[in-house]
Amino acid sequence: LERGNPLAQDALQKCLKAGEGEFLCKIVEHLHMGVKVMRDLKREEQFLADNTLDSHRDVTVYLSALHQSREQKIASLSSVLRLIQLFCEGHHLGLQEWGNEQPSSGNSVNMVGEILKFLHEVLLTGVSQSTAALAIQLFATLTEFCQGPCPRSQSTLMEMSPNACHEVNV
């Protein structure tokens, strides 16, 4: 899929359509788990900032474990987002539109909207050294959904609240 391979993308689209929304529902579950992780980690960091533990060593050990866990989860989310980005690589309109809606599925998923919501959560928790790469990957994935152009993806980015312009200006 790297650099857009229309034959591979057409075959992928055919496979994905056969399972309709199942694959994207799993991706959305992964993104929602990511939102929970970001919120939990932010809450734990705030707790540590507001309270003192028994020793400086306890804080250091706890923070180290917390950041290691965060890094692993962020790496996993970035990989999933990169895969979704590759689906649309080279302006593959069929996969771009399929990512917005799966008409024959009972559980249609708007991936552009879900990714934009996740970007919003990442930015709300604050961009740090560990989340900067994730934010960049989120923007790259959204960009690939819109290029070509794909009017449906572009409309989704502008019509959602908060919209993409708000997120870029954060």
Side-chain angles (χ1 to χ4, degrees):
L1 295 174
E2 191 76 44
R3 290 185 290 282
N5 179 336
L7 293 175
Q9 288 169 309
D10 289 343
L12 174 65
Q13 184 178 3
K14 185 176 178 181
C15 288
L16 291 172
K17 279 187 173 183
E20 272 305 339
E22 289 178 43
F23 178 78
L24 288 183
C25 285
K26 292 292 182 188
I27 298 293
V28 169
E29 284 176 22
H30 204 68
L31 292 175
H32 289 179
M33 180 271 311
V35 167
K36 183 181 180 324
V37 165
M38 300 303 285
R39 288 178 180 169
D40 290 349
L41 291 171
K42 184 68 174 179
R43 193 171 25 255
E44 288 180 36
E45 287 173 350
Q46 187 62 49
F47 174 81
L48 285 174
D50 294 343
N51 298 285
T52 56
L53 296 178
D54 291 337
S55 74
H56 179 69
R57 185 178 183 284
D58 290 344
V59 173
T60 305
V61 169
Y62 184 76
L63 280 175
S64 175
L66 183 66
H67 288 293
Q68 185 177 21
S69 171
R70 172 187 246 178
E71 294 298 324
Q72 290 171 343
K73 290 172 180 166
I74 287 173
S76 172
L77 288 163
S78 290
S79 295
V80 169
L81 289 163
R82 176 69 177 138
L83 176 65
I84 298 298
Q85 177 188 359
L86 288 173
F87 286 1
C88 302
E89 191 83 16
H91 319 303
H92 193 281
L93 187 61
L95 285 170
Q96 287 172 319
E97 289 184 343
W98 179 81
N100 279 281
E101 181 183 26
Q102 306 78 48
S104 60
S105 171
N107 291 334
S108 186
V109 174
N110 182 338
M111 280 305 298
V112 174
E114 292 294 335
I115 291 170
L116 185 60
K117 288 180 203 173
F118 185 51
L119 174 63
H120 179 73
E121 284 295 327
V122 169
L123 296 176
L124 274 179
T125 62
V127 177
S128 64
Q129 188 175 3
S130 61
T131 59
L134 179 60
I136 290 168
Q137 182 59 59
L138 284 158
F139 278 116
T141 303
L142 289 171
T143 298
E144 207 58 55
F145 265 110
C146 292
Q147 288 179 339
C150 180
R152 184 179 290 174
S153 293
Q154 292 171 352
S155 293
T156 297
L157 287 179
M158 299 314 297
E159 292 169 1
M160 286 196 63
S161 178
N163 66 32
C165 290
H166 175 267
E167 301 309 329
V168 170
N169 289 321
V170 166

